[in-house]
């Protein structure tokens, strides 16, 4: 019998016989073939989430926020599904290019793009550069002039909206390293300066208020402020600004019982409700596409019980493949994936293998009390900002990403090797 587990797991996840399967492939088979830790991405879930955003915004633009997770294969999926792509460094730009997407469908972000990055973007023909500072307006104008092109740009505005999320990932307030403050008058000045540059063409305004947002209020407030700012600029300069891009930010549930975020269609409806008819909306969802698609698989290495204190379950990854608990206090769930257990649950703390006490993946989670070395643990909602933020701390090699679909599995990012690490040393 196949039993679908619950919301935080990708749509093809099921208990088949004794173990977890994803995309029709068993966790034990995945671990045996590809090793652990590994990220397992459910291609059907990824595609369905892309399609949901695309269908929520007919006539608009959906740029996947590549910072959540990017590799050439993901670029090919996006391309096939008709999405565009947001990149924020020369490195992401190179991956976009390697994935073969048309440059016109790429938007280039970042608060400190170098002249070299801007030259690479302009030479490749990126669809749009989101300018983030007065320095960058000059820098980009010079690069575009030298290349003999008129570069389409959006101005990044910080609309003074405080999204209800972790301080490190809130970006829309006045005190932000990103963009031009609307309240302080810097955004209006940025529009003036862009319009004064013959090599730049203003095609839109952009705001991104934060990430892992689970209610509509912040989006609706940003939309109202941005729409009114846009109309004022149009009047001031006698121009039309055809696009408002609202960035990313829609959150996901990491654990059963977490707040259920709105669907893409609800976010779009909240934005459209306040947009003037001539303005085309755009969005840049990252986490809400990639996050729920992926399960991280770990093998349990040791179980240490300190009587009356705590039981530690150590797995073969940790803060190098998921820095989010340590950085943001992010909370995850996990399940025993390699066998069925009828043992009563007990509360344990799942830790990684790094030389640091803060290397905690999940504090206080109920797992079967017979959990033992060799068992596999699966952590859902691991698709966004995990492989993308993975490090080589303690010279640990970064895990592979395995795409599963209809009973087959293939590597889309290979496991790093010690040889890869040693290659850096002259
Ligand atoms: N657009 C811009 C301009 C952004 O800065 C971001 C995310 C996105 C789109 C995509 O946002 P999303 O839909 O994924 O929320 N490392 C943090 C999240 C940082 C988000 C950075 N910017 C985390 O792990 O929670």
């Amino acid at each position: 019998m196949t039993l679908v587990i619950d919301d935080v797991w990708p749509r093809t996840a099921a208990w088949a016989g004794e173990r977890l399967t994803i995309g029709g492939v068993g966790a034990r088979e995945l671990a045996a073939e590809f090793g652990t830790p590994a990220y397992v991405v459910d291609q059907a879930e990824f595609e369905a989430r892309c399609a949901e955003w695309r269908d929520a915004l007919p006539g608009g633009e959906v740029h996947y926020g590549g910072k959540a997770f990017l590799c050439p294969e993901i670029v090919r999926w996006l391309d096939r599904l008709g999405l565009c792509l947001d990149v924020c460094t020369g490195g992401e730009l190179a991956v976009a290019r390697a994935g073969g997407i048309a440059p016109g469908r790429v938007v280039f972000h970042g608060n400190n793009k170098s002249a070299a990055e801007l030259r690479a973007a302009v030479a490749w023909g990126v669809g749009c550069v989101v300018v983030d500072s007065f320095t960058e307006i000059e820098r980009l104008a010079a690069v575009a002039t030298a290349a003999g092109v008129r570069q389409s740009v959006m101005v990044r505005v910080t609309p003074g909206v405080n999204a209800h999320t972790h301080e490190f990932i809130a970006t829309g307030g006045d005190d932000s390293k990103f963009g031009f403050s609307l309240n302080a008058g810097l955004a209006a000045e940025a529009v003036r300066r862009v319009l004064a540059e013959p090599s730049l063409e203003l095609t839109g305004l952009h705001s991104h208020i934060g990430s892992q947002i689970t209610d509509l209020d912040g989006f609706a407030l940003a939309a109202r402020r941005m729409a009114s700012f846009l109309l004022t600029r149009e009047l001031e300069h006698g121009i039309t600004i055809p696009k408002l891009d609202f960035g990313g930010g829609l959150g996901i549930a990491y654990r059963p019982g977490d707040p259920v975020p709105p669907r893409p269609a609800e976010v779009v409806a909240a934005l459209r409700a306040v947009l003037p008819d001539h303005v085309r909306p755009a969005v840049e969802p990252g986490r809400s596409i990639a996050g729920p698609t992926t399960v991280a698989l770990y093998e349990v290495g040791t179980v240490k019980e300190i009587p009356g204190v705590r039981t530690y379950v150590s797995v073969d990854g940790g803060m190098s493949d998921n820095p989010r608990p340590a950085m943001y206090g992010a909370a995850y769930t996990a399940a025993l994936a390699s066998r069925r257990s009828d043992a009563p649950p007990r509360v344990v703390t799942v830790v990684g293998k790094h030389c640091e006490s803060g290397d905690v993946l999940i504090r206080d989670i109920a797992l079967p009390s017979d959990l033992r070395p060799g068992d596999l643990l699966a952590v859902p909602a691991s698709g966004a900002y995990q492989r993308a933020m993975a490090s080589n701390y303690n010279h640990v090699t970064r895990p592979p990403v395995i795409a599963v679909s209809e009973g087959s599995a293939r590597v889309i990012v290979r496991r790093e090797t010690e040889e890869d690490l040693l290659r850096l040393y002259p």
Side-chain angles (χ1 to χ4, degrees), residues 63 65 67-68 86 109 156 168-169 171 178 206-208 210-213 247-251 254 284-288 324 328 384-385 389:
H63 296 87
K67 54 200 65 100
D86 135 30
H109 274 282
R156 173 139 180 191
F168 291 179
I169 51 179
T171 49
F178 296 104
H206 181 284
S207 70
H208 168 82
S211 198
Q212 184 53 14
I213 299 168
L250 181 61
Y254 281 87
E284 296 166 345
R287 185 189 324 259
S288 60
R324 302 193 66 261
Y328 315 117
Y385 305 109
M389 290 174 74

Side-chain angles (χ1 to χ4, degrees), residues 57 60-63 243-247 271 280-284:
L57 204 62
E61 290 171 41
V62 181
H63 296 87
K243 181 157 69 172
L244 268 184
D245 185 330
F246 291 98
L271 300 176
R280 205 167 71 244
V283 288
E284 296 166 345

Side-chain angles (χ1 to χ4, degrees), residues 7-81:
D7 234 1
V8 298
W9 296 84
R11 65 194 59 205
T12 69
W15 287 105
E18 295 293 292
R19 80 276 195 261
L20 176 68
T21 69
I22 309 161
V25 189
R28 279 205 309 249
E29 287 69 28
L30 287 165
E33 185 171 355
F34 303 104
T36 53
Y39 307 97
V40 180
V41 54
D42 178 355
Q43 186 170 349
E45 180 76 47
F46 198 101
E47 292 176 348
R49 287 180 170 272
C50 287
E52 186 177 354
W53 269 110
R54 187 198 57 206
D55 296 345
L57 204 62
E61 290 171 41
V62 181
H63 296 87
Y64 169 70
K67 54 200 65 100
F69 171 61
L70 200 64
C71 66
E73 180 67 1
I74 293 289
V75 176
R76 289 188 280 272
W77 295 358
L78 299 168
D79 198 16
R80 187 161 38 74
L81 293 161

Side-chain angles (χ1 to χ4, degrees), residues 15 34 62 159 216 224 227 271 274 308 381 405 407 414:
W15 287 105
F34 303 104
V62 181
L216 291 173
R224 279 200 297 279
L271 300 176
V274 294
S405 174
R414 75 160 167 80

